[in-house]
């Protein structure tokens, strides 16, 4: 049995901790399965000084500088960062670059402009597909409709443009499937204008289109309703309100 690469990110005292690893489990002929790490990388990054260092996973001692990135692929091979001349809020995509790095040596693999101004939102497990979220327009409209680009990290080619003007993702967050073929969206309850909590809806969009990949995808490929609630509702004592904000996560498969 094989375990896919794992990634965990956190913030501890201003330091970002990025854990990348690959575990392989094998079953002996007459015994139980045993898991042994064959490749494991631990990176400690400081967003305030723009520095990062590799740590020995057993002793936690520094073992050399590491390349910086805004997001790493879960196979531990690709790092993605954004370079903007006038800061991250620069509305001009021609003055913004998406930079692709190799984790092993930190070498720059590719550099290209995004199709529109926005931010990095996700990455496929192998680092080949990048999820790019445009800045919400028009300003002041909430919730902003579904609008995402999937880019090929080899050179920035638009693989797909997911647009659904009739729906919105809660907190503007969507997840790209590890294989880069589907987009998962926790539908924003504000669309229904209902007072109180409501059942969760999750919509999925197919992002791979063999013909005319730059054409907007449009309607969701599937939708599921869960027996779990989202939104705000009165507390048990009817003395106030509680806010229910479930999160969305995907397993490697």
């Amino acid at each position: 049995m094989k375990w896919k690469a794992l990634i965990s990110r956190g913030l501890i005292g201003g330091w970002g901790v990025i854990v990348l690893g690959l575990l392989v489990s094998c079953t002996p002929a007459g015994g139980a399965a045993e898991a042994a790490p064959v490749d494991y990388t631990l990176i400690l990054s400081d967003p305030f000084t723009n520095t990062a260092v590799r740590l020995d996973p057993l002793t936690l001692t520094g073992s050399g500088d590491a390349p910086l990135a805004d997001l790493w692929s879960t196979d531990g091979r690709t790092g993605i960062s954004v370079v903007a001349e006038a800061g991250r809020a620069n509305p001009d995509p021609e003055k913004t670059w998406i930079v692709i790095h190799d984790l092993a040596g930190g070498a720059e693999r590719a550099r290209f402009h995004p199709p529109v101004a926005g931010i990095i939102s996700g990455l496929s497990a192998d680092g080949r597909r990048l999820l790019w979220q445009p800045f919400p327009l028009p300003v002041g409209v909430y919730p902003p409709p579904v609008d995402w680009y999937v880019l090929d990290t080899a050179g920035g080619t638009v693989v797909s443009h997911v647009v659904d003007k009739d729906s919105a993702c809660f907190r503007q967050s969507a997840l790209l499937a590890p294989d880069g073929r589907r987009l998962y969206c926790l539908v924003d309850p504000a669309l229904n204008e209902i007072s109180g909590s409501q059942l969760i809806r999750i919509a999925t969009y197919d992002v791979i289109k063999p013909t005319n990949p730059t054409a907007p995808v449009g309607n969701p490929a599937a939708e599921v309703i869960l027996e779990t609630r989202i939104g705000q509702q009165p507390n048990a004592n009817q003395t106030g309100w509680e806010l229910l904000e479930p999160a969305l996560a995907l397993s490697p498969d």
Side-chain angles (χ1 to χ4, degrees), residues 88-94 96 114-119 132-136 149:
R88 296 299 179 97
N90 187 343
D92 185 0
E94 292 302 315
T96 302
V116 295
I119 58 175
W132 183 260
Q133 181 184 14
F135 289 137
Y149 286 88

Side-chain angles (χ1 to χ4, degrees), residues 58-112:
L58 298 180
T59 66
L60 300 184
T61 56
S63 59
D65 293 337
L68 284 171
D70 296 311
L71 194 63
W72 295 102
S73 62
T74 54
D75 66 3
R77 295 182 173 89
T78 304
I80 311 290
S81 60
V82 175
V83 178
E85 285 186 358
R88 296 299 179 97
N90 187 343
D92 185 0
E94 292 302 315
K95 294 183 179 180
T96 302
W97 288 267
I98 298 174
V99 185
I100 315 299
H101 303 276
D102 282 318
L103 173 62
E108 184 175 313
R109 186 189 307 162
R111 176 183 291 247
F112 50 84

